[in-house]
Amino acid sequence: MPRSDLPPATASAPIEARLQEIVFPDHTNHLGTLFGGQALAWMDKAAFIAATRYSRRTVVTARSEQVDFRLPIRQGQLVETIARVVEVGRTSMQVDVELVAEDLLSGERETCTRGRFVMIALDSRGRPVAVDPLPG
């Protein structure tokens, strides 16, 4: 018998979320590049959305792992934050996130930052709850 606190399972649950932002002066450090804390906030937000859409549950961040800041992202660039659910445990989802900077005038795009976030699904009482495995 199905439990009433579980959302209906769906085979077509989205595993990806994409967000876009422009790097404005209030997002930058003293060098005119994206402040690392702002990058992490955008990455965490995208991981949250991807995990929530996949699980259709309330989720919280359990951990961020191995965030690599490879290239600076400059003021005025468009940043696309791409988050993908790549692994699912019993109650956790691992979400890979990348920041891709785009020069709006030339169209040149570069992946600048990558990281992995572990998100935990919660039930209505705030306790970890099982998540459906990734399809196929």
Side-chain angles (χ1 to χ4, degrees), residues 72-94:
I73 300 173
R74 307 210 176 282
Q75 180 181 318
Q77 288 186 305
L78 175 72
V79 176
E80 184 172 23
T81 307
I82 305 165
R84 293 180 187 93
V85 177
V86 295
E87 289 183 41
V88 175
R90 193 178 74 73
T91 64
S92 67
M93 291 155 282
Q94 294 192 32

mmCIF file of all heavy atoms in Angstrom, residues 72-94:
data_model
loop_
_atom_site.group_PDB
_atom_site.id
_atom_site.type_symbol
_atom_site.label_atom_id
_atom_site.label_comp_id
_atom_site.label_asym_id
_atom_site.label_seq_id
_atom_site.Cartn_x
_atom_site.Cartn_y
_atom_site.Cartn_z
ATOM 1 N N PRO A 72 38.732 32.835 -14.081
ATOM 2 C CA PRO A 72 37.920 33.923 -13.522
ATOM 3 C C PRO A 72 36.725 34.229 -14.416
ATOM 4 O O PRO A 72 36.771 34.043 -15.632
ATOM 5 C CB PRO A 72 38.892 35.105 -13.482
ATOM 6 C CG PRO A 72 39.923 34.793 -14.512
ATOM 7 C CD PRO A 72 40.025 33.296 -14.579
ATOM 8 N N ILE A 73 35.667 34.684 -13.782
ATOM 9 C CA ILE A 73 34.478 35.140 -14.496
ATOM 10 C C ILE A 73 34.410 36.643 -14.278
ATOM 11 O O ILE A 73 34.393 37.115 -13.144
ATOM 12 C CB ILE A 73 33.211 34.438 -13.971
ATOM 13 C CG1 ILE A 73 33.334 32.922 -14.157
ATOM 14 C CG2 ILE A 73 31.974 34.987 -14.676
ATOM 15 C CD1 ILE A 73 32.218 32.118 -13.512
ATOM 16 N N ARG A 74 34.370 37.393 -15.358
ATOM 17 C CA ARG A 74 34.505 38.841 -15.291
ATOM 18 C C ARG A 74 33.163 39.571 -15.236
ATOM 19 O O ARG A 74 32.151 39.075 -15.724
ATOM 20 C CB ARG A 74 35.290 39.338 -16.487
ATOM 21 C CG ARG A 74 36.608 38.613 -16.630
ATOM 22 C CD ARG A 74 37.700 39.421 -17.264
ATOM 23 N NE ARG A 74 38.956 38.678 -17.284
ATOM 24 C CZ ARG A 74 39.752 38.519 -16.242
ATOM 25 N NH1 ARG A 74 39.448 39.042 -15.089
ATOM 26 N NH2 ARG A 74 40.868 37.830 -16.349
ATOM 27 N N GLN A 75 33.212 40.740 -14.622
ATOM 28 C CA GLN A 75 32.037 41.614 -14.597
ATOM 29 C C GLN A 75 31.536 41.814 -16.020
ATOM 30 O O GLN A 75 32.313 41.989 -16.943
ATOM 31 C CB GLN A 75 32.416 42.957 -13.979
ATOM 32 C CG GLN A 75 31.273 43.934 -13.916
ATOM 33 C CD GLN A 75 31.709 45.253 -13.317
ATOM 34 O OE1 GLN A 75 32.451 45.286 -12.352
ATOM 35 N NE2 GLN A 75 31.254 46.342 -13.903
ATOM 36 N N GLY A 76 30.219 41.743 -16.195
ATOM 37 C CA GLY A 76 29.605 41.930 -17.500
ATOM 38 C C GLY A 76 29.370 40.639 -18.266
ATOM 39 O O GLY A 76 28.639 40.643 -19.257
ATOM 40 N N GLN A 77 29.972 39.534 -17.824
ATOM 41 C CA GLN A 77 29.747 38.274 -18.511
ATOM 42 C C GLN A 77 28.430 37.642 -18.058
ATOM 43 O O GLN A 77 27.969 37.870 -16.932
ATOM 44 C CB GLN A 77 30.891 37.287 -18.255
ATOM 45 C CG GLN A 77 32.178 37.659 -18.964
ATOM 46 C CD GLN A 77 33.240 36.594 -18.819
ATOM 47 O OE1 GLN A 77 33.588 36.193 -17.717
ATOM 48 N NE2 GLN A 77 33.765 36.142 -19.954
ATOM 49 N N LEU A 78 27.835 36.862 -18.950
ATOM 50 C CA LEU A 78 26.682 36.036 -18.617
ATOM 51 C C LEU A 78 27.217 34.758 -17.991
ATOM 52 O O LEU A 78 28.207 34.200 -18.477
ATOM 53 C CB LEU A 78 25.892 35.700 -19.887
ATOM 54 C CG LEU A 78 24.722 34.740 -19.713
ATOM 55 C CD1 LEU A 78 23.575 35.430 -18.989
ATOM 56 C CD2 LEU A 78 24.262 34.223 -21.065
ATOM 57 N N VAL A 79 26.582 34.307 -16.935
ATOM 58 C CA VAL A 79 26.967 33.043 -16.311
ATOM 59 C C VAL A 79 25.786 32.098 -16.377
ATOM 60 O O VAL A 79 24.693 32.423 -15.896
ATOM 61 C CB VAL A 79 27.391 33.233 -14.837
ATOM 62 C CG1 VAL A 79 27.696 31.894 -14.184
ATOM 63 C CG2 VAL A 79 28.596 34.153 -14.750
ATOM 64 N N GLU A 80 25.989 30.947 -16.999
ATOM 65 C CA GLU A 80 24.983 29.895 -16.990
ATOM 66 C C GLU A 80 25.415 28.865 -15.960
ATOM 67 O O GLU A 80 26.533 28.344 -16.030
ATOM 68 C CB GLU A 80 24.834 29.246 -18.363
ATOM 69 C CG GLU A 80 23.725 28.218 -18.379
ATOM 70 C CD GLU A 80 23.406 27.690 -19.765
ATOM 71 O OE1 GLU A 80 24.264 27.759 -20.660
ATOM 72 O OE2 GLU A 80 22.266 27.213 -19.937
ATOM 73 N N THR A 81 24.555 28.615 -14.996
ATOM 74 C CA THR A 81 24.814 27.617 -13.962
ATOM 75 C C THR A 81 24.015 26.379 -14.334
ATOM 76 O O THR A 81 22.790 26.441 -14.460
ATOM 77 C CB THR A 81 24.386 28.143 -12.577
ATOM 78 O OG1 THR A 81 25.003 29.417 -12.358
ATOM 79 C CG2 THR A 81 24.785 27.187 -11.478
ATOM 80 N N ILE A 82 24.716 25.268 -14.533
ATOM 81 C CA ILE A 82 24.097 24.031 -14.984
ATOM 82 C C ILE A 82 24.288 22.986 -13.891
ATOM 83 O O ILE A 82 25.417 22.671 -13.520
ATOM 84 C CB ILE A 82 24.723 23.538 -16.305
ATOM 85 C CG1 ILE A 82 24.648 24.638 -17.363
ATOM 86 C CG2 ILE A 82 24.037 22.251 -16.776
ATOM 87 C CD1 ILE A 82 25.543 24.410 -18.562
ATOM 88 N N ALA A 83 23.176 22.467 -13.384
ATOM 89 C CA ALA A 83 23.205 21.465 -12.317
ATOM 90 C C ALA A 83 22.535 20.195 -12.812
ATOM 91 O O ALA A 83 21.444 20.260 -13.388
ATOM 92 C CB ALA A 83 22.482 21.999 -11.079
ATOM 93 N N ARG A 84 23.196 19.047 -12.580
ATOM 94 C CA ARG A 84 22.655 17.760 -13.011
ATOM 95 C C ARG A 84 22.736 16.746 -11.876
ATOM 96 O O ARG A 84 23.804 16.560 -11.288
ATOM 97 C CB ARG A 84 23.462 17.206 -14.182
ATOM 98 C CG ARG A 84 23.346 17.985 -15.451
ATOM 99 C CD ARG A 84 24.198 17.359 -16.571
ATOM 100 N NE ARG A 84 24.191 18.209 -17.737
ATOM 101 C CZ ARG A 84 25.106 19.148 -17.991
ATOM 102 N NH1 ARG A 84 26.104 19.345 -17.152
ATOM 103 N NH2 ARG A 84 25.025 19.872 -19.077
ATOM 104 N N VAL A 85 21.616 16.078 -11.595
ATOM 105 C CA VAL A 85 21.624 14.970 -10.633
ATOM 106 C C VAL A 85 22.339 13.810 -11.317
ATOM 107 O O VAL A 85 21.903 13.348 -12.376
ATOM 108 C CB VAL A 85 20.189 14.573 -10.224
ATOM 109 C CG1 VAL A 85 20.217 13.372 -9.282
ATOM 110 C CG2 VAL A 85 19.463 15.751 -9.580
ATOM 111 N N VAL A 86 23.447 13.361 -10.729
ATOM 112 C CA VAL A 86 24.263 12.326 -11.368
ATOM 113 C C VAL A 86 24.288 11.011 -10.603
ATOM 114 O O VAL A 86 24.615 9.975 -11.179
ATOM 115 C CB VAL A 86 25.705 12.811 -11.623
ATOM 116 C CG1 VAL A 86 25.706 13.954 -12.635
ATOM 117 C CG2 VAL A 86 26.390 13.231 -10.340
ATOM 118 N N GLU A 87 23.967 11.055 -9.313
ATOM 119 C CA GLU A 87 23.909 9.839 -8.502
ATOM 120 C C GLU A 87 22.822 10.014 -7.458
ATOM 121 O O GLU A 87 22.616 11.110 -6.953
ATOM 122 C CB GLU A 87 25.236 9.562 -7.783
ATOM 123 C CG GLU A 87 26.355 9.119 -8.681
ATOM 124 C CD GLU A 87 27.616 8.795 -7.889
ATOM 125 O OE1 GLU A 87 27.512 8.181 -6.804
ATOM 126 O OE2 GLU A 87 28.701 9.182 -8.356
ATOM 127 N N VAL A 88 22.164 8.911 -7.132
ATOM 128 C CA VAL A 88 21.127 8.927 -6.099
ATOM 129 C C VAL A 88 21.398 7.798 -5.132
ATOM 130 O O VAL A 88 21.588 6.646 -5.544
ATOM 131 C CB VAL A 88 19.718 8.787 -6.726
ATOM 132 C CG1 VAL A 88 18.653 8.679 -5.649
ATOM 133 C CG2 VAL A 88 19.424 9.962 -7.650
ATOM 134 N N GLY A 89 21.459 8.145 -3.850
ATOM 135 C CA GLY A 89 21.563 7.144 -2.790
ATOM 136 C C GLY A 89 20.164 6.880 -2.241
ATOM 137 O O GLY A 89 19.168 7.148 -2.901
ATOM 138 N N ARG A 90 20.113 6.388 -1.020
ATOM 139 C CA ARG A 90 18.800 6.123 -0.432
ATOM 140 C C ARG A 90 18.034 7.414 -0.195
ATOM 141 O O ARG A 90 16.881 7.543 -0.594
ATOM 142 C CB ARG A 90 18.947 5.334 0.873
ATOM 143 C CG ARG A 90 17.625 4.767 1.364
ATOM 144 C CD ARG A 90 17.773 3.948 2.623
ATOM 145 N NE ARG A 90 18.002 4.786 3.793
ATOM 146 C CZ ARG A 90 17.067 5.540 4.380
ATOM 147 N NH1 ARG A 90 15.844 5.574 3.897
ATOM 148 N NH2 ARG A 90 17.351 6.267 5.433
ATOM 149 N N THR A 91 18.678 8.402 0.444
ATOM 150 C CA THR A 91 18.022 9.686 0.727
ATOM 151 C C THR A 91 18.785 10.864 0.126
ATOM 152 O O THR A 91 18.339 11.999 0.247
ATOM 153 C CB THR A 91 17.895 9.928 2.246
ATOM 154 O OG1 THR A 91 19.210 10.037 2.818
ATOM 155 C CG2 THR A 91 17.125 8.803 2.929
ATOM 156 N N SER A 92 19.912 10.595 -0.491
ATOM 157 C CA SER A 92 20.768 11.675 -0.987
ATOM 158 C C SER A 92 20.834 11.690 -2.510
ATOM 159 O O SER A 92 20.596 10.680 -3.171
ATOM 160 C CB SER A 92 22.182 11.524 -0.431
ATOM 161 O OG SER A 92 22.785 10.353 -0.957
ATOM 162 N N MET A 93 21.161 12.862 -3.008
ATOM 163 C CA MET A 93 21.378 13.046 -4.446
ATOM 164 C C MET A 93 22.682 13.811 -4.616
ATOM 165 O O MET A 93 22.900 14.827 -3.950
ATOM 166 C CB MET A 93 20.225 13.851 -5.060
ATOM 167 C CG MET A 93 18.909 13.100 -5.085
ATOM 168 S SD MET A 93 17.499 14.232 -5.114
ATOM 169 C CE MET A 93 17.422 14.733 -3.394
ATOM 170 N N GLN A 94 23.538 13.317 -5.483
ATOM 171 C CA GLN A 94 24.757 14.032 -5.821
ATOM 172 C C GLN A 94 24.489 14.819 -7.095
ATOM 173 O O GLN A 94 24.001 14.265 -8.081
ATOM 174 C CB GLN A 94 25.920 13.069 -5.993
ATOM 175 C CG GLN A 94 26.268 12.402 -4.669
ATOM 176 C CD GLN A 94 27.578 11.672 -4.720
ATOM 177 O OE1 GLN A 94 28.487 12.067 -5.433
ATOM 178 N NE2 GLN A 94 27.681 10.601 -3.952
#
